Amino acid sequence: MPSRAQGKSSVLAMLRALRTTDATYRSGRILGSMGTAPLPIAEAAHKIFLNANLGDPGHVPGAAQLEASYNRMLLDLAGAAAGKGVGQVTSGGSEANILALAWMRVRSGARDVIVPRTGHFSFEKAAKFLGLRLRIAETDEAHRVLPASVKGLIGPETAGIVAVAGTTQVGSVDPIAEIAELARDHDLPLHVDAAFGGYVLPFLRPRQPFGFDIPGVETVAMDTHKMAMGTIGAGALLMRDQRELDELAVETPYLSTPRQRGILGTRSAGPVAAAVAAWEELGRRGYERVVKECLANTARVVAALGKAGIRPLVPPSLNIVAVPHPDPLRLQGGLAAEGWRVNVLTRLRAIRLVLMPHVTRRILESFLPAFAAAHRATAEVPHVVASQA
Ligand code: 0PR
């Protein structure tokens, strides 16, 4: 880094040059990530509120008002009744999951949390940071948690249960109503991680409940930098009532408001404004169209792979396709050499394709033949490797 002051144009040129080395969503070349290009209106909104600090909302009542709209928007999507529920804005799904487990710990004093084997690694972070023990519940062949396994893990030290609405690896949706009933029977809170599914499930017909319209669901994690097409850095932990949320509060004696609840202190209103703006512009109908298209593209992938003799690991419930492969890193490398970026599910020996809004049908039509060819070329483990093993 130069120690001398640089002119604005040379600084910007340096940054742009760095940026050209990044893969971008807009190029359509990223097919394995849950991120996507923000809507132009989201980008513009983000810029307007970039440095408004929601950690000290008394100074920024405009931003605070947006935050209230953001929470309302997510609560409505998560099935809360009109005017019911509260939200704590977070930096994304991980922070919301960590807060949810913190709340279970604080309210119960107990240390065990039952999490499906398919749970996101943010639950492992929560356990590490908070001194909790994860009790791992088994899943069926479709990667949905088994209620009997959850039931068998409930004990005197259980603080709560987690279910996932849209798993990170294959997009499966746990049987939330059944798990919620178990939770109710044992007087335990159920947290639903809808970081991904929260912006897909509400737009399906018929609508698939995953949140507060299921009795027993106490908290829901959602975020707006995945399928919502907002900018990176916002999500929320949603809860049923203010008293529950206040169990996470600490005093902030010198700020413009007396208490704070999330993990972060200073946080930008930018991504909050971005998500509200995206919602205002698209509306429910707009998101329904986007989701319909993503699911149609998912079906297109399954059909094209089927013709090439390739079957997904599980039939997709959302817009994620996991494709088994004996050496997924090799396949990933082969595709990367041609400019396509896919993710490897190391624990499942598979490649993950996520049909996000930036992955258009045109992109798919050039990607799919490349994928099928690379799959064929790398699927056979070379003899020399096999004989050395
Ligand atoms: N819960 C679920 C079900 C998730 O899939 C994720 C992230 C989280 C929680 C955590 O959310 P934050 O990342 O917002 O804290 N899942 C993505 C994944 O691990 C995150 C991601 C997105 C990773 C884009 C890579 C990427 O390029 O795949």
Side-chain angles (χ1 to χ4, degrees):
M1 280 286 169
S3 54
R4 251 176 334 104
Q6 304 273 312
K8 181 178 164 190
S9 58
S10 78
V11 174
L12 290 176
M14 182 265 286
L15 295 177
R16 288 196 185 103
L18 267 182
R19 188 67 176 138
T20 60
T21 65
D22 293 347
T24 62
Y25 297 117
R26 284 217 167 89
S27 70
R29 291 276 165 159
I30 302 180
L31 290 104
S33 161
M34 285 185 172
T36 195
L39 290 178
I41 191 134
E43 233 174 288
H46 185 115
K47 216 165 155 193
I48 297 171
F49 281 89
L50 189 64
N51 248 27
N53 175 15
L54 285 170
D56 201 2
H59 299 315
V60 288
Q65 202 176 315
L66 264 182
E67 185 176 46
S69 310
Y70 181 88
N71 284 330
R72 193 66 254 154
M73 170 179 93
L74 296 186
L75 284 162
D76 290 346
L77 290 174
K84 297 279 187 201
V86 289
Q88 172 61 42
V89 174
T90 63
S91 53
S94 299
E95 192 191 342
N97 284 339
I98 293 167
L99 268 185
L101 267 56
W103 178 70
M104 289 176 182
R105 172 87 173 119
V106 165
R107 73 186 278 279
S108 67
R111 285 184 42 192
D112 288 1
V113 178
I114 300 170
V115 176
R117 185 164 290 291
T118 48
H120 186 256
F121 54 74
S122 47
F123 294 111
E124 285 174 44
K125 291 186 185 178
K128 201 169 232 183
F129 303 162
L130 299 166
L132 297 167
R133 270 188 311 232
L134 298 187
R135 297 285 177 199
I136 304 299
E138 295 307 331
T139 50
D140 65 15
E141 68 286 348
H143 289 237
R144 289 178 307 225
V145 76
L146 289 162
S149 174
V150 172
K151 191 173 177 185
L153 292 169
I154 296 174
E157 263 302 307
T158 308
I161 304 172
V162 171
V164 191
T167 58
T168 311
Q169 304 200 95
V170 308
S172 50
V173 179
D174 285 332
I176 294 166
E178 277 174 74
I179 304 296
E181 201 177 320
L182 266 178
R184 275 202 332 270
D185 287 349
H186 293 83
D187 209 13
L188 291 168
L190 173 64
H191 170 65
V192 175
D193 178 0
F196 187 78
Y199 259 81
V200 180
L201 295 169
F203 307 118
L204 301 180
R205 296 230 180 98
R207 195 181 159 272
Q208 263 191 55
F210 64 94
F212 297 107
D213 36 3
I214 303 175
V217 173
E218 286 304 310
T219 57
V220 175
M222 283 181 61
D223 77 43
T224 50
H225 50 222
K226 297 186 175 78
M227 284 299 288
M229 295 174 290
T231 55
I232 287 182
L237 175 68
L238 308 171
M239 303 181 92
R240 284 190 184 267
D241 77 49
Q242 188 65 45
R243 267 177 326 197
E244 291 176 344
L245 185 54
D246 284 343
E247 290 179 292
L248 290 171
V250 297
E251 284 182 19
T252 50
Y254 45 83
L255 299 188
S256 60
T257 50
R259 281 143 85 78
Q260 243 187 36
R261 291 159 190 87
I263 293 175
L264 303 185
T266 302
R267 57 197 169 87
S268 170
V272 172
V276 173
W279 178 264
E280 293 294 329
E281 190 184 58
L282 281 189
R284 176 174 287 278
R285 285 274 160 76
Y287 278 104
E288 279 172 4
R289 268 197 309 277
V290 170
V291 165
K292 199 170 166 190
E293 183 114 357
C294 292
L295 290 171
N297 287 340
T298 307
R300 168 77 191 123
V301 169
V302 173
L305 294 184
K307 275 199 191 136
I310 304 165
R311 289 248 308 271
L313 201 63
V314 298
S317 328
L318 304 179
N319 45 324
I320 300 177
V321 187
V323 185
H325 190 278
D327 189 354
L329 282 170
R330 190 157 164 242
L331 174 52
Q332 182 192 42
L335 288 166
E338 293 177 42
W340 300 108
R341 308 197 68 89
V342 299
N343 286 40
V344 171
L345 305 172
T346 42
R347 289 182 185 171
L348 299 179
R349 268 207 184 191
I351 290 285
R352 180 180 76 173
L353 303 176
V354 190
L355 287 307
M356 295 298 289
H358 67 272
V359 182
T360 60
R361 183 58 73 101
R362 247 186 63 196
I363 289 164
L364 277 186
E365 297 314 332
S366 59
F367 169 73
L368 287 169
F371 184 78
H375 193 284
R376 253 195 318 276
T378 53
E380 277 177 24
V381 181
H383 285 304
V384 50
V385 173
S387 61
Q388 275 170 358

